[in-house]
Amino acid sequence: MIPVRGYEGATIAVLGLGRSGLTAARALRAGGAEVIAWDDGAKGREAAEAEGFTLRELSKPGALDGVATLITSPGIPHLYPAPHPAIAAAWRAGVAVDNDVGLFFRSLGWDDSAPRVVAITGSNGKSTTSALLHHILVEAGKRAHLAGNIGRGVLDLDPPEEDEIIVLELSSYQTELARSLTPDVAVFTNLSPDHLDRHAGFGGYFAAKRRLFAEGGPDRAVIGVDENEGLFLANQLQEAAVDDRVIRVASGKLEGPGWTVTARKGWLAETRKGRQVASVDLRDIAGLPGKHNHQNACCAWAAARSLGLGPREIEAGLRSYPGLPHRSQRIAERAGVAYVNDSKATNVDAAVQALQAFERIRWICGGLQKEGGLEALHPHLSCVAKAYVIGREAAGFALGLGQGVEVEVCGDMATAVAAAARDAQPGETVLLAPAAASFDQYDSFERRGEDFAARVAALD
């Protein structure tokens, strides 16, 4: 655990006692703070009380008297669609509000042994990019740790040393609120509509991501520029056309003399000052199928180069990368049919990327539909032999797919897997890429992916 420094003797309140909240409470106490805590759920309160933390309902009048800072968990709304009552009370009382990511950055460097930190954000691909970069570093013999939205909580890490590298995956919930954001390298993969209720629209969502680059001023920024928001961000950070502090990443050709990493027709190419300095054929790397994973490879490549790794070291890491569970994960092959688990494709854009990775697909989709509808899927359904729709509102989801694809309303995973396996022909792929959240039927996208894998394993 990383003891949180700078709050010795101060009273700090912690709101939300899940993984990150309870770890923050422990780290604050280890650093000498007096901690009071609250969770709206009895389970969280019981866990904190068992560890000796004082409980106090933080939204009650006077509950924040004497409190220096309120630390809130990322899942708790702090502005939109409405602030949690305890956070609103903190604003009125003039109590600073922060989160565990802010505490993490605040606690680095107190003993002159700060590690290097790479922070990765974006709508899609940030988990794969983070895990891939961590894998590349470890394979190259570096002392590296993976934390944040993936792996361990940021404060659950052991106190880092100067020669270590910490790779953080950060969500918009985390970047929006952290009062300290000072990574050495910051990565922006891409942007597509997601979590719009928490950010009051697309502009607020982008603004939350942008804070990672605007607040701390990283030494180097890796920016995916396939969307206008990425182009805008890269342009804001660049002082000139040739500015090595910014590496632009794209799925097509880029103009200008700056530092770029691109993936075109399955080939990764690194260019500096108008000259190609490295290239890799990504098409035969099993752990990175499809254009979306080629973009992830480009982002990881650029970050690794920023940390001083050479092209051969990075390529070796790419080729040995096993892939992440629930993200284009090939889980089985039966009678010439591949079964791929991409349960993490929880929005339309992620599902489009998954669909583009395979040629003929038996597509399992559906769940809790997000804002924006399904129209953006329609131009990408030519590879779908048939869709098998799950979810409590499967019939409505099926209608949203339009007339361009054959659809079977299945309702649940067991029915969908059985139907897809019944219909699939050799050379086809049964793909779970829901284009929807899981919470209508599962606790998480992980549980949904595990159910898919279990149903595939149980096939005759």
Side-chain angles (χ1 to χ4, degrees):
M1 171 188 309
I2 300 175
V4 174
R5 309 289 291 274
Y7 292 106
E8 293 82 353
T11 299
I12 308 298
V14 176
L15 176 65
L17 298 169
R19 183 188 72 159
S20 65
L22 197 55
T23 300
R26 295 175 187 137
L28 284 159
R29 184 165 62 184
E34 297 292 329
V35 178
I36 60 173
W38 184 255
D39 193 293
D40 292 336
K43 184 177 179 181
R45 296 195 298 270
E46 290 167 1
E49 197 167 30
E51 296 192 26
F53 290 106
T54 300
L55 297 178
R56 185 187 300 176
E57 190 170 350
L58 298 174
S59 57
K60 286 190 172 181
L64 293 171
D65 291 350
V67 170
T69 300
L70 172 66
I71 305 301
T72 182
S73 294
I76 298 174
H78 57 267
L79 186 55
Y80 303 110
H84 187 281
I87 294 175
W91 294 345
R92 291 191 295 269
V95 174
V97 179
D98 203 350
N99 62 16
D100 63 330
V101 173
L103 295 180
F104 167 82
F105 281 109
R106 180 187 176 99
S107 299
L108 294 180
W110 280 75
D111 53 3
D112 296 323
S113 61
R116 287 182 290 175
V117 178
V118 182
I120 298 169
T121 194
S123 295
N124 300 306
K126 58 184 181 292
S127 295
T128 295
T129 300
S130 300
L132 176 57
L133 175 60
H134 176 256
H135 175 81
I136 290 168
L137 293 169
V138 171
E139 290 293 294
K142 306 297 182 182
R143 298 179 63 192
H145 306 279
L146 183 62
N149 225 31
I150 187 174
R152 302 166 70 180
V154 291
L155 295 172
D156 194 38
L157 296 169
D158 295 331
E161 299 180 9
E162 191 168 2
D163 64 340
E164 295 180 335
I165 301 169
I166 296 175
V167 180
L168 299 181
E169 179 199 336
L170 298 181
S171 72
S172 59
Y173 295 178
Q174 294 167 311
T175 58
E176 184 175 44
L177 194 60
R179 298 173 74 90
S180 179
L181 285 168
T182 55
D184 298 277
V185 180
V187 179
F188 177 88
T189 60
N190 52 57
L191 199 74
S192 62
D194 208 355
H195 309 304
L196 301 188
D197 59 332
R198 275 290 298 266
H199 301 294
F202 197 48
Y205 178 51
F206 175 53
K209 301 285 189 184
R210 181 181 175 274
R211 287 193 74 247
L212 180 61
F213 304 84
E215 295 297 314
D219 295 335
R220 179 155 287 129
V222 176
I223 310 292
V225 296
D226 283 344
E227 298 88 29
N228 284 334
E229 290 80 8
L231 288 166
F232 169 80
L233 182 57
N235 186 265
Q236 281 204 315
L237 296 172
Q238 284 180 303
E239 293 294 334
V242 180
D243 186 344
D244 277 358
R245 294 174 302 171
V246 177
I247 305 176
R248 294 181 297 156
V249 169
S251 57
K253 185 177 180 180
L254 287 173
E255 299 176 358
W259 193 351
T260 68
V261 182
T262 60
R264 300 176 63 198
K265 298 181 179 180
W267 281 87
L268 179 151
E270 178 187 355
T271 302
R272 300 184 72 171
K273 297 180 180 178
R275 184 173 66 89
Q276 182 173 302
V277 296
S279 66
V280 177
D281 186 353
L282 302 173
R283 293 171 296 178
D284 61 346
I285 298 179
L288 297 167
K291 287 178 60 179
H292 61 306
N293 276 313
H294 296 169
Q295 184 197 49
N296 298 335
C298 288
C299 288
W301 178 286
R305 293 286 276 151
S306 298
L307 295 167
L309 271 68
R312 290 185 179 179
E313 291 178 294
I314 303 172
E315 181 177 355
L318 294 177
R319 294 198 177 281
S320 62
Y321 177 63
L324 268 181
H326 315 297
R327 298 161 177 87
S328 296
Q329 178 191 17
R330 189 185 181 100
I331 60 171
E333 182 172 333
R334 292 171 174 270
V337 176
Y339 292 81
V340 176
N341 169 19
D342 203 337
S343 184
K344 186 60 171 65
T346 59
N347 59 44
V348 166
D349 187 67
V352 167
Q353 299 299 325
L355 291 171
Q356 291 177 337
F358 306 98
E359 292 185 356
R360 186 165 174 83
I361 298 169
R362 301 287 171 175
W363 178 32
I364 299 176
C365 57
L368 189 61
Q369 190 173 330
K370 296 185 177 181
E371 292 183 29
L374 304 177
E375 288 77 9
L377 286 166
H378 294 175
H380 306 283
L381 299 181
S382 60
C383 58
V384 176
K386 187 175 179 180
Y388 306 81
V389 185
I390 63 173
R392 292 181 186 172
E393 299 179 353
F397 193 98
L399 287 173
L401 295 177
Q403 303 298 315
V405 62
E406 183 182 354
V407 175
E408 181 174 338
V409 175
C410 297
D412 59 62
M413 186 68 73
T415 305
V417 170
R422 174 200 68 210
D423 296 343
Q425 301 297 313
E428 295 183 339
T429 298
V430 174
L431 171 68
L432 171 66
S438 60
F439 302 120
D440 58 336
Q441 292 183 316
Y442 300 93
D443 291 338
S444 65
F445 72 84
E446 291 95 341
R447 300 289 86 76
R448 177 171 59 190
E450 289 164 3
D451 189 24
F452 172 70
R455 303 296 180 181
V456 171
L459 289 172
D460 294 332

